[in-house]
Amino acid sequence: MHTGKVLLRSYLSLSYTHHSLTTNSFSKLCLHHFKPFCSMRKIFLLPVFILFLTGLASAQPIDDDLPQITGCLALVNARVVASPGKAPVVSTVVMRDGLITQLGPNLKIPADAYRIAADSLYVYPAFIDAFCSIGINEPENGDGQGNRGSQRPTFDADGNPPLEEAGITPYKSVRATFDAKEKSIADWRAQGFAIAHVVPKGKMLPGKGSIVVLSGKEADQMLWKEDVSMFAQWTGAGGGYPSTVIGIMAKWRELYHNALQSVAHQSSYDNATLISRPKYNQAHEALMPVVKKEMPVYFRAPKVKDISRAMSLQKDLGMRMIITDAEEAWYLKDQFKLGSIPLVLSLDLPEDKSEKKAQAEAKAKGPEGPGQDGPGQPGPKAVKDSLGAEVKAEAKAEAKEKDNDSTKTIALDTVTFDPEKEAFEKKRAESLKAYQEQAGVLAKDGIAFSFGTMSVKTGDFSKNISTMIENGLPTETALKALTTQPASLLGIEKYCGTVEVGKMANVIVSTKPLFEKDAAIKYMVVEGNLYAYEVKEKKKVAAKKTESTSSGPLDGIWDYVVEVPGETQEGELEFITIDGELTGTLTSEDNTTGNDRTGKHRHRWKNSHVYI
């Protein structure tokens, strides 16, 4: 079968180089071109053989070594959620050259469209990451400050270290360290993200952020809008100035006012006479759009003190600011209610380290652990603990027998109540709950926010979103914080954030409504590029054949012969219909004359539809 598939694929590539192979067109192609070569021993062979071949025309992701067949893609009869808060509507989505061109029921699908039967699937607008470092490769020294090594820092005449060593690089762009092949791009795309606001890595002022499309092989294909923001944070320079929060605040004021003076000097130089040429300063030049309020500052402020200090700095200097990667914003919700400073919440959540959680995990894990004698066998520590538990149980029983009188005897395994420990555990649980409820609390108070992935791992994304929803975050608000809200924040709502005609073809195709249990992403479309993902389904208990088997028109054993120039292929097809679903086994024997070899192949398959 393998050789035949290769020949078939080569034939199709020669004959249909510029056409989409839909299920129907593929079937017609097989009937037209392969009918002369097929001799059938039973009349149903050709439709059955076509059934196997149509599997080759199923949806495929784009690949590094194979170009897409067509620039047109159609999701047929999907349940489309066009925007947050909208109910699913059965529609067909047609996308061409990276844009949504048609949307609605009963559409006439273009002949060259690559079709995906999506009648059991849901379509949502793809996610937009409001703040992250996706695709950024760390500098060699890992700190973004230049290559200092063990050398002592140098200082200028005013006692300032070089900008790189001070962590002040507002002139740097994402392009300098963006890697189109970086693993995080594919990882976050698989989580549903199509657009990301990416910032460089560094210290106090790492540089300018850019909007990136998470599809493409080169930076030029992926970088959409460059230098749209300035990234700042409360991270000092280490051994040099500014190394403390107070130092950073002082340095910010110095840089801002100097940049403001540079703007005024440049304006006078351009519009007046007898004005000396302004002196160029790389940092001041980069901050000019900030002081002109043309470029917002995305200030990373996880904790409440970080947020409060950033707000104080904004009030003092008057810059446009967005608080990002916030983990404790609920403390200052009254200030965020004013709406003057937008908010990007962190998707990271603290780990539950309580004793109750540890005991539950240990109980679920069982006696296995490091140093086991074998899978499922208890190790020395487990045996020791087991024996100790038995001794304690016996002692407790004896103590209980002696305690029939009014005098109480303390059992050997009774733990003494520790009020300080209990208070600590209670405080820990309340703190964890506050983090988990943050998004829900802000949503309840009508505070708009977006989500950013700067501090969260890809493996924790879905789990953390689910935790937030379980703790009061409405699913509609969750979707809004991942689509329309960041689109508005970044000024790209005209192009993406919803499923509408004319917008970018960025959609998620899921097996169930998003955020539901067991929902999985089956396809991602990013600017018209299709990515397919394997969805692992839970195994169902097979019913007994005697009870569930029903006779179908193809049930039985069928012989077939396929003759292709230079090759003859024979085999058997065995079909069984179970609960209306056609299953079977293909056994083939290859007689490839060119290589003078024979071989038998068995292939099991299952399909609920037969295409004729």
Side-chain angles (χ1 to χ4, degrees):
M1 285 298 289
H2 178 68
T3 306
K5 183 191 283 188
V6 172
L7 289 174
L8 175 62
R9 184 177 183 181
S10 301
Y11 183 86
L12 294 178
S13 65
L14 291 173
S15 303
Y16 287 81
T17 305
H18 302 293
H19 297 279
S20 168
L21 295 180
T22 64
T23 300
N24 292 333
S25 62
F26 194 90
S27 302
K28 292 177 183 177
L29 173 67
C30 294
L31 284 168
H32 179 71
H33 291 282
F34 287 91
K35 189 174 182 180
F37 302 113
C38 298
S39 62
M40 299 170 291
R41 298 184 184 179
K42 290 192 177 181
I43 193 169
F44 284 101
L45 174 58
L46 183 59
V48 173
F49 186 62
I50 291 173
L51 168 64
F52 281 96
L53 294 180
T54 52
L56 299 176
S58 61
Q60 302 173 11
I62 62 171
D63 207 335
D64 291 335
D65 59 345
L66 294 175
Q68 282 190 271
I69 298 173
T70 176
C72 186
L73 174 66
L75 301 172
V76 184
N77 294 331
R79 295 175 175 89
V80 179
V81 179
S83 61
K86 293 287 184 69
V89 177
V90 176
S91 303
T92 294
V93 186
V94 178
M95 296 164 275
R96 184 183 293 277
D97 298 330
L99 296 174
I100 299 173
T101 56
Q102 298 180 66
L103 175 64
N106 305 318
L107 295 180
K108 183 178 180 182
I109 301 173
D112 64 335
Y114 189 80
R115 304 185 185 196
I116 295 177
D119 50 289
S120 62
L121 303 174
Y122 290 79
V123 172
Y124 289 83
F127 298 153
I128 300 171
D129 195 334
F131 182 72
C132 66
S133 57
I134 295 174
I136 298 296
N137 267 334
E138 286 272 11
E140 289 184 4
N141 61 353
D143 60 5
Q145 303 176 46
N147 196 11
R148 285 172 55 183
S150 59
Q151 297 180 357
R152 298 183 63 184
T154 56
F155 301 93
D156 61 16
D158 297 327
N160 296 314
L163 294 174
E164 292 276 346
E165 294 183 1
I168 302 171
T169 56
Y171 43 83
K172 280 192 174 181
S173 295
V174 162
R175 180 181 289 272
T177 53
F178 184 79
D179 182 2
K181 298 179 180 179
E182 212 272 326
K183 184 177 179 295
S184 63
I185 296 172
D187 290 345
W188 281 112
R189 184 172 59 227
Q191 296 293 329
F193 287 87
I195 304 292
H197 172 223
V198 180
V199 296
K201 295 182 180 180
K203 296 293 182 178
M204 172 184 163
L205 273 168
K208 294 175 282 189
S210 296
I211 299 174
V212 176
V213 179
L214 301 184
S215 179
K217 297 180 179 180
E218 299 176 358
D220 284 339
Q221 295 175 321
M222 302 176 71
L223 290 170
W224 178 15
K225 294 177 178 289
E226 296 191 67
D227 302 341
V228 299
S229 64
M230 184 66 65
F231 173 31
Q233 57 186 346
W234 300 113
T235 304
Y241 173 78
S243 59
T244 63
V245 172
I246 293 176
I248 293 172
M249 294 186 78
K251 191 65 178 178
W252 246 111
R253 288 181 170 88
E254 175 194 328
L255 290 168
Y256 192 90
H257 288 301
N258 285 343
L260 199 59
Q261 290 181 1
S262 295
V263 169
H265 193 169
Q266 185 66 49
S267 178
S268 298
Y269 182 73
D270 293 339
N271 300 297
T273 58
L274 299 176
I275 302 295
S276 60
R277 178 177 63 85
K279 292 182 179 180
Y280 180 79
N281 181 285
Q282 201 172 12
H284 300 162
E285 190 81 12
L287 287 171
M288 282 184 179
V290 173
V291 301
K292 291 179 181 179
K293 298 181 176 56
E294 298 171 352
M295 179 183 290
V297 176
Y298 279 68
F299 215 111
R300 186 182 185 185
K303 304 303 179 183
V304 62
K305 287 185 177 180
D306 300 329
I307 299 171
S308 182
R309 289 164 179 160
M311 285 182 162
S312 176
L313 191 66
Q314 187 278 333
K315 187 177 180 180
D316 184 18
L317 301 179
M319 67 185 84
R320 289 173 55 200
M321 181 180 287
I322 292 95
I323 298 296
T324 63
D325 207 30
E327 298 175 2
E328 298 180 352
W330 75 87
Y331 284 111
L332 301 170
K333 63 179 183 178
D334 289 339
Q335 296 187 45
F336 283 112
K337 278 183 181 180
L338 301 175
S340 57
I341 298 182
L343 179 63
V344 177
L345 294 184
S346 172
L347 278 165
D348 192 26
L349 289 176
E351 184 181 353
D352 186 357
K353 296 182 179 179
S354 63
E355 283 190 359
K356 191 176 292 184
K357 175 76 172 178
Q359 290 171 1
E361 290 177 352
K363 186 177 181 180
K365 186 176 180 181
E368 294 187 21
Q372 301 302 317
D373 299 323
Q377 299 298 321
K381 184 178 185 300
V383 173
K384 183 179 178 181
D385 291 345
S386 178
L387 292 174
E390 290 178 7
V391 172
K392 288 182 178 181
E394 291 176 1
K396 184 176 181 179
E398 292 179 3
K400 189 174 181 179
E401 289 178 2
K402 296 177 181 179
D403 196 28
N404 294 328
D405 302 331
S406 57
T407 304
K408 300 289 184 180
T409 304
I410 301 176
L412 295 178
D413 65 338
T414 301
V415 179
T416 305
F417 177 75
D418 187 344
E420 290 187 6
K421 185 176 181 180
E422 289 293 323
F424 176 77
E425 288 296 332
K426 182 180 179 182
K427 187 175 181 180
R428 189 213 298 269
E430 290 174 350
S431 176
L432 178 63
K433 192 72 171 174
Y435 280 97
Q436 295 172 342
E437 291 178 343
Q438 172 179 237
V441 168
L442 297 176
K444 187 177 180 180
D445 283 355
I447 299 171
F449 57 85
S450 305
F451 279 130
T453 67
M454 174 65 80
S455 299
V456 69
K457 299 177 182 177
T458 51
D460 292 336
F461 168 70
S462 296
K463 178 186 68 175
N464 290 357
I465 283 285
S466 297
T467 300
M468 292 178 184
I469 291 172
E470 290 170 3
N471 285 273
L473 175 64
T475 55
E476 178 184 337
T477 307
L479 183 60
K480 187 181 294 185
L482 289 164
T483 55
T484 55
Q485 191 61 36
S488 176
L489 182 67
L490 296 169
I492 55 175
E493 67 272 22
K494 175 184 175 181
Y495 311 102
C496 53
T498 58
V499 181
E500 296 180 65
V501 173
K503 291 200 173 181
M504 292 176 70
N506 296 337
V507 299
I508 297 170
V509 184
S510 63
T511 57
K512 291 183 178 182
L514 281 181
F515 313 127
E516 271 195 13
K517 186 179 180 181
D518 298 330
I521 295 176
K522 189 172 180 64
Y523 301 106
M524 270 295 294
V525 182
V526 182
E527 204 169 18
N529 295 316
L530 175 66
Y531 299 86
Y533 301 99
E534 181 182 358
V535 177
K536 295 181 180 180
E537 297 181 359
K538 291 185 177 180
K539 293 183 179 180
K540 297 181 180 179
V541 179
K544 293 182 180 180
K545 292 183 180 180
T546 56
E547 297 175 354
S548 59
T549 302
S550 58
S551 178
L554 298 178
D555 284 6
I557 298 176
W558 302 74
D559 297 330
Y560 73 86
V561 177
V562 178
E563 295 179 354
V564 182
E567 179 181 350
T568 299
Q569 188 179 92
E570 300 180 4
E572 291 183 347
L573 293 166
E574 181 180 0
F575 297 102
I576 300 173
T577 302
I578 301 176
D579 293 334
E581 188 172 56
L582 188 64
T583 66
T585 303
L586 167 69
T587 305
S588 64
E589 182 172 346
D590 291 342
N591 299 311
T592 308
T593 56
N595 295 330
D596 190 24
R597 69 179 184 183
T598 61
K600 289 188 176 181
H601 304 276
R602 289 179 63 83
H603 176 67
R604 293 191 62 82
W605 61 274
K606 180 172 71 174
N607 201 316
S608 57
H609 303 282
V610 177
Y611 299 95
I612 299 178

